[in-house]
Amino acid sequence: MKFAFPAHLVRRLMLMIGGEAMQSGFHFALNIALLHLLSAEGYGLFALAMVMGGVGLSYIRSLTAVPATIWMSKSTNSAGVDAHDVTFGSAALVVALLMGLGTGLLMRLLGDPSGIGAACFVCAWSLRSHMRTAFFARRMQLVVSISDAVFTVAGTVLAGAAIWFFADALQATFYALAAANVVGIAVLVKLARRRLRISLRAPTWRRYAKLWPQLRWSGFSATTTNIQGQCLALLVAGIAGPAAYAPLAAVLVLFAPLRISSLAFANMTQPELAKLARNKEFDRVWTQAKIWALVMGGGSLVYGCGILFILPMIKSQALQHASVGLIGLFAIANFVPIMAYVMPRVVLEILGDFRIVAFITMAGAIVGLTTIGILLAIAPPTWSLAGAAVSETFVLVASWYFAANRMWNLKHPNEQRRTVIGAWRRAATLAAQRR
């Protein structure tokens, strides 16, 4: 089968990557500035707030943003699109507020005297993330890119002022980031010429509740994904303290553009692949998934090799004489699988297989917690990254296995292939029936 490279997707990707690159560049520069300004404990707290922001984004993506994209793409009229937009937007506000509250409590437990600044930052970031994805679903990529540019400029100015004029740079930076995200939200609403419609009335929640049988697996998947993806930070900080996590965070932040790029790829391809799946063009879905996975995996490997040359130039008290080269190699071993399993996960999500995604991430979380816990007990914190790499590699293999099986069954309805899990379940059912 010949594959025509989707030029319109490339153009859309350029818009998305442009916006993501601006934000990523800003976060990168801010991390470098704070790395040289804050103590190891202070930078560790900042890094953990960023981790909690990532947790908030994952819940937003699983419970509101991705479902909004899928159901808005399936709607056949503007009324249906608007109804789903209001429903998932209202749910996003609630999720963002809960994430802000959870972040504030966690930061206080780990040493932040108030936790309010970090809570405001995570709440605003999570809400803006949902709105960006919803506008992507409405094909308003240019509006999102302009909003990203304004956010970047506002964030740079406000964060620069926070660092320069305030004695408590950490707290001031949290409030500056929160304000910049609010500015980005305001620009989104203004340029789109749409009212920000939020409804907390009963009909909205009934509409959301009707979708919950599918969404609950997405929510469970988000929980296991966060355990699997963030257990490194939480275990190291919880067992050895925020200062011990600082060297790992200082290197991992250099790889943050890859994670942000993976979200851009997912946002770009999801509506397109959902439409192809709805039209039963499964060959095109699978071909595009493999092409983009190759691009993302290869690109992340090249990027990681470039970072290895930069690492020896970074000098900071937060590094505490850690082996940055070894941390960099472990980081590459983590991020190449992460980038390579984005597309099979997108395929499973657009097909509504949230239960399979939940199973994969739950198993990955168990592998990650076990290996990281063992390594923290017998080796320095640096080696805990090896345990995280084992977890990510497991998720990579499992994601491609289940996605490939699912696509085969869709393309060959008369030649169904069972997965290993499906075969075990069937065998157990037959054994129970015989008894």
Side-chain angles (χ1 to χ4, degrees):
M1 175 184 174
K2 292 184 178 180
F3 174 69
F5 204 78
H8 67 290
L9 285 186
V10 175
R11 290 192 296 269
R12 192 184 307 168
L13 176 64
M14 292 302 102
L15 281 174
M16 292 182 178
I17 289 293
E20 298 289 2
M22 286 185 287
Q23 299 178 86
S24 179
F26 163 60
H27 285 145
F28 175 80
L30 179 60
N31 270 275
I32 295 299
L34 293 177
L35 181 63
H36 290 86
L37 180 66
L38 300 175
S39 65
E41 183 176 358
Y43 184 75
L45 286 171
F46 176 76
L48 288 169
M50 295 295 289
V51 167
M52 289 304 297
V55 172
L57 263 58
S58 70
Y59 273 111
I60 284 288
R61 182 177 183 274
S62 297
L63 293 176
T64 66
V66 169
T69 299
I70 294 172
W71 270 285
M72 287 168 70
S73 299
K74 291 180 178 179
S75 298
T76 57
N77 53 61
S78 59
V81 172
D82 290 341
H84 285 120
D85 196 4
V86 172
T87 299
F88 288 112
S90 303
L93 176 61
V94 174
V95 173
L97 290 171
L98 290 175
M99 283 307 308
L101 178 62
T103 299
L105 293 174
L106 177 64
M107 294 297 286
R108 289 199 66 175
L109 289 174
L110 292 176
D112 188 327
S114 70
I116 297 175
C120 294
F121 160 52
V122 170
C123 179
W125 191 13
S126 300
L127 185 59
R128 189 172 74 89
S129 174
H130 169 84
M131 294 182 66
R132 291 179 75 253
T133 304
F135 280 100
F136 279 135
R138 289 181 177 273
R139 313 286 183 180
M140 294 183 180
Q141 289 86 4
L142 182 59
V143 170
V144 175
S145 295
I146 295 173
S147 170
D148 290 341
V150 174
F151 159 78
T152 302
V153 173
T156 302
V157 172
L158 293 173
I163 292 173
W164 187 263
F165 293 109
F166 290 87
D168 191 347
L170 179 62
Q171 293 302 315
T173 299
F174 283 146
Y175 286 114
L177 290 173
N181 277 286
V182 172
V183 170
I185 291 172
V187 172
L188 272 176
V189 176
K190 181 67 175 178
L191 291 183
R193 297 178 180 178
R194 300 185 60 83
R195 292 175 57 191
L196 187 59
R197 298 173 59 195
I198 299 294
S199 174
L200 301 179
R201 295 183 300 177
T204 302
W205 298 117
R206 282 198 295 268
R207 192 181 303 118
Y208 189 83
K210 289 181 180 178
L211 304 173
W212 185 245
Q214 289 175 278
L215 294 177
R216 65 184 178 186
W217 287 107
S218 184
F220 180 73
S221 174
T223 302
T224 53
T225 296
N226 285 319
I227 295 173
Q228 183 259 329
Q230 310 299 347
C231 61
L232 169 71
L234 298 178
L235 281 176
V236 173
I239 294 174
Y245 179 63
L248 304 183
V251 175
L252 291 176
V253 73
L254 302 178
F255 290 82
L258 292 179
R259 195 177 290 277
I260 293 175
S261 297
S262 72
L263 290 175
F265 272 96
N267 288 335
M268 174 198 69
T269 56
Q270 215 148 28
E272 182 76 14
L273 295 184
K275 185 185 298 183
L276 292 175
R278 183 182 63 194
N279 296 331
K280 301 189 183 304
E281 298 182 62
F282 299 120
D283 281 327
R284 292 184 61 189
V285 169
W286 195 228
T287 301
Q288 287 195 22
K290 289 187 286 188
I291 291 292
W292 288 118
L294 183 62
V295 170
M296 295 167 70
S300 63
L301 181 60
V302 172
Y303 179 90
C305 292
I307 292 296
L308 288 179
F309 288 99
I310 299 174
L311 285 177
M313 306 176 191
I314 299 176
K315 307 295 181 184
S316 170
Q317 60 181 346
L319 293 177
Q320 304 180 78
H321 307 292
S323 176
V324 293
L326 183 60
I327 296 175
L329 288 172
F330 285 147
I332 293 174
N334 273 269
F335 277 92
V336 171
I338 287 173
M339 297 295 285
Y341 69 62
V342 168
M343 292 313 301
R345 178 161 183 160
V346 167
V347 169
L348 290 170
E349 286 176 342
I350 65 172
L351 296 176
D353 290 334
F354 296 112
R355 184 181 300 187
I356 294 177
V357 175
F359 165 77
I360 293 171
T361 52
M362 180 181 68
I366 294 171
V367 171
L369 287 170
T370 303
T371 52
I372 292 173
I374 292 172
L375 288 169
L376 281 173
I378 64 175
T382 297
W383 284 86
S384 61
L385 273 172
V390 172
S391 175
E392 300 294 0
T393 302
F394 173 87
V395 174
L396 169 69
V397 174
S399 297
W400 278 105
Y401 170 73
F402 282 103
N405 182 271
R406 188 75 164 91
M407 294 305 298
W408 170 271
N409 289 339
L410 288 171
K411 291 188 289 185
H412 305 85
N414 298 323
E415 303 176 41
Q416 297 290 291
R417 291 179 178 175
R418 289 188 178 87
T419 61
V420 173
I421 301 301
W424 288 349
R425 183 186 300 169
R426 186 170 183 271
T429 302
L430 289 174
Q433 290 174 347
R434 286 170 184 168
R435 287 198 299 268

